[in-house]
Amino acid sequence: MRPPFLLRAYAGFASLAVPVLQRRLIHKLTDQGVTPARARERTGQATQPRPEGSLIWFHGASVGETLSILPLIDALHAQRPALSVLVTSGTATSAEILARRLPARAIHQFAPLDSPAVLRRFHAQWRPDLAVLIESEIWPNMIRSCADRAVPLVLLNARLSDRSVKRWRQLGAPAWWLLDQFALIIAQTEATAQNLRSLGAARVQVGANLKAAATPAPGDPDLQAAMETALAGRPRWLAASTHTGEDAPLLDAHVALRARHPDLCLILAPRHPDRADEIATLARQRGLTVTRRSAGDAPTGDVYLADTLGEMGTWYRLSPVTFIAGSFGDAGGHNPWEACTGTAILHGPQVANCAADYATLNAAGGARAVTPDTLARTLDNLLTGNAAQPMANAAIACKQAQGDGTADLARSLLSLTKDHAP
């Protein structure tokens, strides 16, 4: 069926906007240390050859979405070892972390812009046998490009809030057309599944919680041992994946806590390490001393700025209490399951991206919601005695109880490819 007029008009607008968008996005990536050649992957210019044989394309926005599929990739390879996997995302952070954590026969490229010309170039290079979009990455031209080439589409770990449902319902025919292109939609919760069905999606089911099934962020035992020695028994807490606007209330809480815990160390790991200078300035304005991981410093200051990538698993394991950021502002929260390594989990109220996950952990006693006003008091309680350990144990138990349906999901995905044989 031909796409509705609004989607055809969007395709034309996207084509006109490409020159401006590609300059902006390429400049942003190169500013973050990405090579110009890799940044041009956003225009569909590949930097790696396509492997022979079947290839499944996964696309997610950034770190959380793409890391959630790692156990699924392992399950796919277990059932079809010769399968190749392409993972696309849009951020420099995700590219750097995936470079370390993707298994063999899995490739990362930056996501193509949602433009017909860019997507033609992308498909000519990669020729995917199946395209899997993760969570809410519903890009009209991306979907249309797959439909035009008879590439089966799956929406995986789909999430759709009641507010989003209202916006989708207002779209009418374009929303129905886009959802109808999916051969399968796997929703995070039954509520999301019902919301999608109410919009006309016909092939919807509730699936395994991939984020909960994922292996926790890996740690570095040597680094952890070195940090334990350097901290010399000092109490500490972790602020993980902070965004602009969140650091100030976290630093304020740390200042208040040091009145009762004078040796307390805050390990602060920004979501984007290029913000490290501004965070260091905020800390010093509050009279706090700062040392930095990127400079090779030991954690001897009041604040240890963990301005590196790929080491979050170590910081989780080093800290009895972790505040997972992205939840005091409008980022929507970050995946809590990767922190279930032996740390008590705190989070702010803004967790729409992971609402069901936090609700499950909170109900199990493994996580707790706080506000900027209650953070210091909650931390004080958890840092006194051994109060954090029961929460940490509850988080681990809750994660283990979620189960793992990745093998069944892998079979479902493989059944949609042209070559059904394992």
Side-chain angles (χ1 to χ4, degrees):
M1 181 187 295
R2 192 182 187 200
F5 170 76
L6 189 59
L7 292 180
R8 302 198 303 273
Y10 169 81
F13 172 79
S15 298
L16 293 174
V18 161
V20 174
L21 286 175
Q22 73 180 33
R23 281 196 299 270
R24 181 181 302 166
L25 292 172
I26 288 174
H27 180 70
K28 180 179 180 180
L29 289 174
T30 53
D31 274 356
Q32 295 172 341
V34 176
T35 65
R38 287 226 59 195
R40 285 193 292 273
E41 291 169 7
R42 301 250 31 197
T43 66
Q45 300 181 46
T47 54
Q48 295 194 52
R50 185 199 189 280
E52 296 295 326
S54 296
L55 180 143
I56 295 181
W57 168 30
F58 288 91
H59 169 67
S62 188
V63 178
E65 296 85 357
T66 50
L67 288 183
S68 73
I69 62 169
L70 292 180
L72 178 57
I73 294 175
D74 290 339
L76 287 166
H77 283 150
Q79 295 177 37
R80 192 181 293 178
L83 178 75
S84 295
V85 171
L86 171 68
V87 181
T88 62
S89 62
T91 66
T93 303
S94 61
E96 185 166 343
I97 293 176
L98 287 168
R100 304 180 188 186
R101 297 187 61 180
L102 279 177
R105 301 197 64 81
I107 299 167
H108 176 267
Q109 297 276 278
F110 284 106
L113 291 168
D114 198 43
S115 150
V118 170
L119 287 160
R120 279 195 297 271
R121 191 179 301 130
F122 178 88
H123 278 277
Q125 165 66 20
W126 294 106
R127 306 184 309 281
D129 296 279
L130 175 69
V132 182
L133 309 184
I134 306 168
E135 295 198 5
S136 55
E137 287 295 283
I138 304 177
W139 292 94
N141 289 324
M142 188 179 287
I143 292 171
R144 186 176 174 183
S145 73
C146 291
D148 289 346
R149 293 163 178 80
V151 176
L153 268 165
V154 173
L155 182 59
L156 183 62
N157 230 26
R159 57 179 174 83
L160 198 65
S161 67
D162 292 340
R163 184 177 178 183
S164 296
V165 169
K166 292 178 182 177
R167 291 198 297 266
W168 274 80
R169 192 166 284 121
Q170 290 170 353
L171 283 175
W176 177 87
W177 190 92
L178 289 170
L179 293 173
D180 194 51
Q181 304 315 303
F182 288 97
L184 177 64
I185 298 177
I186 307 291
Q188 290 186 15
T189 65
E190 182 58 39
T192 292
Q194 291 292 351
N195 281 338
L196 288 163
R197 294 182 189 116
S198 74
L199 294 169
R203 296 168 288 277
V204 185
Q205 63 187 53
V206 179
N209 188 329
L210 290 181
K211 288 184 176 179
T215 302
D220 181 336
D222 292 337
L223 174 60
Q224 183 175 344
M227 289 291 153
E228 291 281 10
T229 299
L231 285 164
R234 290 176 61 192
R236 82 285 309 230
W237 66 288
L238 169 66
S241 296
T242 68
H243 291 254
T244 300
E246 293 187 300
D247 306 288
L250 295 171
L251 290 167
D252 289 341
H254 190 60
V255 170
L257 281 165
R258 283 177 57 80
R260 282 177 50 81
H261 307 272
D263 292 332
L264 185 65
C265 178
L266 165 60
I267 302 170
L268 197 155
R271 185 73 167 184
H272 304 290
D274 57 359
R275 296 179 47 246
D277 287 343
E278 67 181 71
I279 297 170
T281 298
L282 288 172
R284 293 184 182 113
Q285 287 172 347
R286 288 160 172 77
L288 298 168
T289 57
V290 180
T291 54
R292 293 172 64 160
R293 170 67 177 154
S294 63
D297 298 336
T300 55
D302 304 325
V303 176
Y304 189 56
L305 200 48
D307 52 347
T308 53
L309 292 173
E311 296 181 330
M312 193 68 78
T314 300
W315 310 134
Y316 286 139
R317 289 167 175 82
L318 193 66
S319 309
V321 185
T322 294
F323 174 81
I324 300 181
S327 54
F328 274 171
D330 57 6
H334 295 304
N335 176 17
W337 299 109
E338 68 174 14
C340 296
T341 59
T343 185
I345 298 170
L346 302 178
H347 63 90
Q350 306 301 325
V351 291
N353 293 347
C354 316
D357 301 299
Y358 279 111
T360 299
L361 273 167
N362 290 355
R368 190 178 303 170
V370 295
T371 67
D373 292 335
T374 63
L375 174 60
R377 183 169 65 254
T378 303
L379 281 165
D380 183 30
N381 292 335
L382 291 173
L383 290 168
T384 301
N386 199 34
Q389 194 59 52
M391 273 187 71
N393 293 341
I396 292 174
C398 183
K399 184 180 188 307
Q400 292 172 342
Q402 297 309 298
D404 184 349
T406 52
D408 290 341
L409 179 55
R411 278 189 287 273
S412 295
L413 295 184
L414 290 172
S415 74
L416 294 171
T417 61
K418 297 173 184 177
D419 178 11
H420 291 182

